[in-house]
């Protein structure tokens, strides 16, 4: 029988080592420096003063976090019975400058709230002057506070309450054709924090105002990029400071987890560090598990268990081999909280993709994470460090791209603009770009794996992570391009990159088709999205899976804008007149706009007549994905389905008559189409005129109301089509061509598999299907029965397929009842073309008016801009099997 002799040692609390001051870090003040007289929880000033004095004398104990022990009791002193000392000190505090300043700020903020309005709904880009001109009609305006990040709301402060009430009494505010939302400013509790107690800024990089003078002094762009590395990277004192923190944590944890290792990874050691970046640590417990197993076997043999060391007392309570990751992290958090001096705000985050323990080191101000199951991240860090050592141009290029992305709100905190890229994804984008230069700068991961020696072989979680550990053993790149050229080519490369249909793979040094990842039967397929960047080793991890379509469009458009600027002399040459140039203008947030200009009201340019229908994997059924995966040219197959869906939207939902255009009158590209229109040459005007009177035109159509589904497209059957022009025009329920054009329309069949990437139709619109559509939709929904089938339940959002067809039919019946059906509303041409490869895969729909006597084409086109892509996507979701 085992006997246990147990001695419980005192928890070791080490004296905090001296950390040298670092001028780059913001000063950190002691939490008890200023008497917290006005407490948010409503406690009395006297009680707050005693707690303040208690904390200044040492709080709850030396270097141990205050939350690790039970607080000492504090006498319950009410405001009616203050001690003489606390009362005197409270009066002195009230007379001090800090308290007087706080009272003044509170009073100012209170007056501002009482005299201010909240305004929203104005057009993006509206200036403060325009808002002032509108609201000063009700009284003098003291100030305007705009939302600088979004420009979607503003605070208007009046000089008097009467002016405020007059503005609120106005029943409706209209400015630049927009109806404004005006309401009193919401009153919130004011919380003042002195500057020296405020948390450090979330931005780890200096502002452009501070960078501009330094960068403009450089002689060329290459020198500017080198200066970025010097400004952003660690100083020697910062590196030493982090080494001290790591050694402190290593020393403490070695006592509780024998033979463990604290391994730093991430920005601290991968060669792309920036000031105040997080300290990412990996706690390697493999040798500790072996130590625990050996100790357990030795105790069983001797029959005696001795706990004479502190690590034994902790390890006796948990089996590291069988314990869950969450249990180990809770133990790590306890050791950090109780035994590491200077560490506070310890929190175990066990629900993240990679669970960690977060902490803050008070003396250095470093924010840190400790994980226990993140070996792949450690290996990725070594890979990035190797790449930065292979070519010295990589670091400046990465720093420049990261800062550019931050300035354009493409990386870092989203600021309400949607999900953004992380620094790791941006770094992989730069490496992939350098891999794909005509003369590669960085070799592929597979090539590095071939060059790895026996000691460099590494398998982690089933993934081959082998590559050489010493960059000096690898041959240097023969690429001699300058940093200026590489940065310009980076923007040009990704401005023309087809993100939505490609998967960026650094292992193979090429972009793989997204369809290659649709039939992965091993369960290790990455989560695909608009941007797909595979981790170099964990090939089932898409590091940009958080991005959406809008994020991808913004990134690619900003790359195009940046590439355009990089072709100018303002980027390539230093200004002789002392103006900003080079990277400074590139980093300027307002230098270019990627949102596009709204255009002139009442004008439809050739560019605005093009409607994009993007390729979206999420909108395709599983059966459809399998067909794409087995296709030699997935773009061509997808284009056939889109063409069938677009034609179904026009014919079945909007009641148009569509006649396929003869091949001799079709355009090969959208660019050729627009060029012909600008030159005033439109062959579609040679098409036979559609009949303006049809005998059966006034008869109501029952096809959609009877639940007829859109025709199915099968690329393997040439006789099966989405909608044949001859059948459509000869139907007794459809409009038909005139005698001169009926035969030609009947012979031209719509065959998606034979379209060669483009197709054209001549269409006639017979009803104003956009006018009053929202009201008609609400009336139909209101009249439907409460019990619905699963398919009809999808119509509740106002965007169902059958519902939209019923809405168009109801509008047509209204027009028939009023007798306005003898003339077509509009004749137009529709040209479809698929693009991709050098840009995002999508279908371009070019809509051009042929006969628009009533001037309704602009209204119809604006209606189609949202309606056509939305309904096409729904048809692809539900009808293609």
């Amino acid at each position: 029988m085992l006997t246990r002799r147990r001695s419980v040692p005192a928890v070791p609390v080490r004296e905090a080592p001296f950390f040298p001051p670092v001028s780059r870090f913001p000063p950190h003040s002691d939490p008890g420096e200023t008497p917290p007289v006005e407490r948010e929880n409503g406690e009395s000033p006297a009680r707050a003063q005693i707690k303040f004095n208690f904390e200044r004398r040492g709080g709850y104990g030396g270097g141990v976090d205050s939350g690790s022990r039970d607080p000492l009791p504090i006498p319950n002193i009410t405001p009616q019975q203050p001690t003489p000392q606390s009362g005197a000190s409270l009066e002195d505090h009230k007379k001090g400058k800090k308290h007087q300043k706080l009272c003044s700020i509170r009073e100012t903020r209170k007056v501002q709230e009482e005299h201010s309005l909240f305004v929203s709904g104005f057009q993006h880009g509206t200036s403060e002057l325009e808002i002032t001109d509108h609201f000063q009609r009700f009284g003098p305006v003291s100030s305007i506070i705009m939302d600088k990040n979004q420009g979607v709301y503003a605070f208007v402060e009046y000089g008097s309450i009467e002016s405020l009430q007059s503005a609120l009494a106005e029943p409706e505010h209209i400015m630049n054709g927009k109806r404004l939302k005006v309401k009193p400013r919401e009153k919130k509790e004011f919380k003042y924090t002195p500057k020296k107690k405020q948390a450090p800024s979330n931005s780890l990089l200096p502002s452009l105002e501070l960078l501009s003078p330094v960068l403009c002094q450089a002689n060329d762009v290459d020198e500017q990029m080198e200066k970025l590395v010097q400004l952003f990277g660690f100083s020697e004192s910062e590196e030493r400071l982090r080494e001290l923190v790591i050694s402190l944590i290593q020393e403490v944890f070695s006592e509780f987890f024998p033979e463990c290792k604290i391994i730093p990874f991430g920005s601290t050691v991968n060669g792309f560090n920036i000031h105040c970046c997080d300290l990412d640590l990996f706690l390697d417990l493999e040798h500790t598990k072996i130590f625990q197993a050996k100790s357990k076997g030795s105790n069983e043999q001797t029959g005696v268990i001795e706990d004479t060391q502190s690590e034994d007392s902790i390890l006796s309570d948990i089996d590291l081999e069988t314990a869950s990751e969450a249990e180990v992290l809770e133990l790590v958090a306890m050791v950090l909280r109780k035994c590491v001096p200077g560490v506070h705000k310890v929190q175990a985050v066990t629900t993240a993709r990679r669970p960690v323990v977060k902490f803050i080191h008070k003396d250095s101000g470093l924010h840190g994470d400790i994980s226990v199951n993140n070996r792949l991240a450690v290996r990725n860090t070594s890979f990035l460090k190797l790449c930065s050592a292979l070519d010295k141009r990589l670091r400046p290029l990465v720093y420049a791209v990261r800062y550019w992305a931050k300035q354009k709100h493409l990386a870092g905190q989203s600021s309400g603009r949607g999900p953004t890229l992380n620094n790791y994804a941006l770094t992989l984008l730069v490496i992939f770009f350098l891999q794909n230069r005509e003369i590669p700068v960085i070799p592929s991961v597979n090539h590095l794996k071939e060059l790895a020696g026996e000691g460099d072989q590494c398998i982690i979680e089933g993934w081959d992570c082998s590559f050489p550990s010493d960059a000096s053993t690898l041959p240097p790149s023969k690429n001699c391009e300058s940093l200026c050229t590489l940065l310009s080519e980076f923007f040009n490369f990704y401005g023309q990159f087809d993100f939505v249909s490609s998967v960026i793979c650094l292992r193979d040094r090429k972009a793989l088709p997204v369809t290659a990842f649709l039939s992965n039967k091993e369960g290790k397929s990455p989560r695909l999205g608009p941007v797909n960047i595979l981790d170099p080793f964990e090939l089932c991890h898409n590091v940009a899976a958080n991005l959406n379509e809008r994020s991808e469009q913004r990134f690619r458009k900003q790359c195009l804008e940046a590439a355009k600027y990089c072709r100018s002399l303002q980027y390539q040459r230093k200004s002789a007149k002392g103006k900003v140039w080079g990277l400074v203008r590139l980093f300027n947030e307002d230098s270019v706009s990627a949102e596009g200009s709204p255009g002139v009201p009442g004008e439809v340019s050739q560019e605005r007549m093009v409607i994009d229908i993007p390729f979206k994997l999420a909108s395709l059924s599983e059966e459809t994905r399998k067909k794409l995966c087995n296709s030699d040219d997935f773009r061509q197959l997808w284009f056939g389905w889109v063409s069938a869906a677009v034609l179904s939207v026009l014919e079945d939902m909007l009641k148009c008559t569509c006649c396929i255009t003869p091949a001799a009158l079709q355009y090969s590209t959208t660019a050729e189409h627009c060029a012909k229109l600008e030159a005033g040459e439109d062959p579609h005007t040679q098409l036979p005129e559609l009949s303006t009177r049809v005998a059966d035109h006034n008869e109501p159509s029952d096809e959609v109301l009877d639940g007829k589904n859109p025709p199915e497209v099968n690329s393997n059957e040439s006789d099966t089509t989405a909608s044949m022009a001859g059948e459509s025009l000869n139907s007794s329920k459809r409009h038909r061509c005139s005698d001169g054009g009926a035969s030609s329309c009947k012979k031209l069949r719509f065959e998606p598999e034979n379209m060669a990437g483009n197709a054209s139709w001549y269409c006639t619109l017979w009803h104003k299907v956009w006018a009053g559509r929202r009201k008609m939709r609400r009336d139909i929904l209101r009249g439907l029965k409460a019990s619905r089938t699963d398919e009809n339940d999808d119509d509740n959002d106002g965007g169902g397929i059958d519902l939209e067809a019923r809405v168009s039919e109801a509008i047509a019946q209204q027009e028939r009842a009023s007798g306005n059906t003898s003339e077509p509303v509009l004749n137009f041409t529709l040209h479809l073309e698929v693009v991709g490869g050098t840009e995002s895969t999508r279908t371009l729909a070019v809509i051009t008016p042929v006969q628009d006597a009533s001037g309704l084409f602009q209204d119809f086109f604006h209606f189609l801009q949202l309606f056509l892509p939305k309904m096409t996507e729904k048809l692809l979701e539900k009808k293609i099997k």
Side-chain angles (χ1 to χ4, degrees), residues 582-787:
L583 295 183
V584 180
R585 289 183 63 89
L586 176 67
F587 293 156
N588 194 333
E589 184 177 358
D590 300 325
S591 59
V592 292
S593 173
E595 302 299 331
S597 58
V600 180
E603 174 185 329
V604 179
S605 63
Q606 298 298 337
E607 291 182 354
R608 295 177 63 199
M609 290 192 297
V610 180
I611 299 177
D612 285 358
I613 303 175
F615 174 76
K616 295 182 181 180
L617 277 176
S619 64
L620 302 179
S621 65
E622 288 297 327
E623 191 68 24
T624 305
R625 293 189 180 196
K626 292 180 181 179
K627 292 181 180 180
L628 287 178
C629 183
N630 298 326
S631 173
D632 295 334
D633 187 353
F634 76 93
R635 290 188 183 91
Q636 186 67 28
L637 181 59
W638 173 76
F639 175 67
W641 294 334
V642 171
S643 300
V646 169
L647 201 58
S648 178
V649 171
L650 293 176
E651 289 188 330
D652 298 331
M653 295 187 189
L654 301 183
K655 310 304 177 185
C656 294
T657 300
C658 299
C659 174
I660 194 167
T661 306
L665 299 181
Q666 293 187 11
Y667 305 114
S668 59
T669 63
T670 302
E672 180 183 346
H673 192 169
C674 294
K676 293 280 188 181
L677 293 175
E678 292 177 357
E681 303 175 7
D682 188 7
H684 287 102
T685 56
Q686 305 172 14
L687 285 173
E689 293 292 335
L690 292 181
S691 175
T692 57
R693 270 196 181 278
V694 182
D696 58 355
H697 177 63
N698 290 327
E699 298 180 10
S701 174
D702 298 328
E703 290 180 356
V704 178
L705 297 178
D706 291 341
K708 181 179 179 181
N709 292 331
E712 180 178 344
V713 179
N714 190 341
S715 60
N716 297 324
E717 300 178 9
S718 60
D719 293 336
T720 305
T721 61
S723 175
M724 299 181 183
E727 294 177 4
S728 299
L729 298 175
N730 289 331
S731 172
S732 61
K733 302 295 185 179
R734 305 262 183 182
H735 316 302
R736 56 180 182 266
C737 294
S738 61
D739 295 339
S743 60
S744 62
C745 288
K746 186 175 182 179
K747 293 177 182 178
L748 296 171
R749 301 171 63 88
F750 170 54
E751 299 179 355
E753 65 274 14
N754 297 326
M755 286 190 299
N758 64 86
S760 298
W761 288 272
Y762 185 87
C763 308
T764 297
L765 179 67
W766 295 90
H767 309 286
K768 298 179 184 178
V769 290
W770 67 89
R773 190 174 189 88
R774 184 176 300 177
K775 181 178 181 301
M776 183 64 70
R777 186 188 295 114
R778 286 199 302 264
D779 294 342
I780 292 178
L781 285 173
R782 195 179 297 116
L784 292 176
K785 297 180 180 180
S787 58

Side-chain angles (χ1 to χ4, degrees), residues 270-541:
N270 64 12
F272 305 100
N273 48 64
I274 57 176
H275 305 313
C276 301
C277 64
D278 289 351
L279 179 62
D280 299 316
L281 302 175
F282 169 64
L283 177 59
D284 187 356
L285 295 174
E286 287 301 315
H287 292 87
T288 308
K289 294 177 182 179
I290 298 174
F291 171 85
Q292 187 183 41
K294 289 182 178 179
S295 299
K296 185 178 179 180
S298 175
N299 292 334
E300 290 178 353
Q301 292 179 3
T302 59
V304 178
I305 300 178
E306 296 203 13
D307 292 329
T308 59
Q309 299 180 2
S310 59
E311 60 262 25
D312 293 331
S313 62
I314 284 185
L315 294 182
S316 62
D317 296 331
I318 187 173
D319 186 356
L320 295 178
E321 195 65 42
T322 60
S324 65
E325 187 174 3
E327 292 174 340
V328 177
L329 286 176
E330 291 292 346
L331 189 60
V332 170
M334 184 186 69
V335 174
L336 272 175
R337 188 180 296 114
K338 293 186 176 183
C339 304
V340 181
V343 170
H344 68 146
K345 295 186 178 179
V346 179
Q347 179 186 8
V349 183
T350 59
T351 57
R353 178 180 177 270
R354 292 291 185 183
V356 296
V357 175
K358 294 182 175 293
F359 67 92
I360 299 177
H361 189 261
K362 190 181 302 182
D363 295 329
S364 63
L366 292 175
H367 292 238
D369 300 332
I370 295 183
S371 56
V372 295
N373 187 22
N374 207 2
R375 295 183 180 277
L376 281 171
V378 176
R379 196 59 178 168
N380 284 334
T381 297
S382 301
F383 170 72
L384 296 183
K385 189 175 182 179
L386 173 69
C387 291
S388 63
L390 282 174
D391 198 288
K392 64 180 182 179
R393 292 170 292 180
L394 177 59
R395 290 189 69 201
L397 197 58
V398 168
Y399 279 109
V401 170
R402 282 185 180 183
Y403 194 79
W404 166 81
K406 170 187 171 293
Q407 290 295 107
K408 303 300 179 181
H409 304 284
L410 302 173
Q413 293 185 346
S414 62
S415 302
R417 298 171 186 253
T420 58
L421 287 162
N422 55 56
N423 283 335
Y424 180 54
L426 283 172
T427 305
L428 295 185
L429 285 177
V430 175
I431 294 176
F432 181 74
F433 158 72
L434 294 177
Q435 288 178 337
N436 283 271
R437 298 305 294 154
E438 186 176 353
I439 301 177
V441 179
I442 303 293
S444 67
V445 177
N446 279 336
H447 183 61
L448 291 175
K449 183 176 66 174
E450 296 172 358
L451 300 176
E454 293 183 3
D456 298 323
Q457 301 298 322
C458 180
I459 304 295
I460 300 177
E461 299 179 11
W463 303 106
D464 191 347
C465 305
S466 304
F467 56 83
S469 57
D470 188 1
S472 61
T473 60
L474 303 177
S477 171
K478 297 181 179 180
N479 185 298
C480 300
E481 292 176 290
S482 66
L483 285 171
C484 177
T485 301
L486 288 174
L487 182 60
S488 175
E489 290 300 321
F490 171 87
F491 295 126
N492 189 58
F493 179 80
Y494 285 112
Q496 301 177 359
F497 194 82
D498 188 0
F499 282 103
V500 296
S501 65
S502 304
V503 177
I504 293 175
C505 182
L506 279 72
R507 182 176 285 269
D508 296 325
R509 196 174 65 86
K510 62 181 179 181
L512 304 176
V514 71
T515 52
F517 296 84
L518 298 180
S519 61
N520 195 319
K521 300 179 181 180
E522 298 179 359
K524 291 188 176 183
S525 178
R527 182 161 67 96
L528 300 175
V531 179
N532 304 293
I533 308 172
L534 288 186
D535 185 274
F537 306 108
E538 190 180 7
L539 299 181
C540 63
H541 180 208

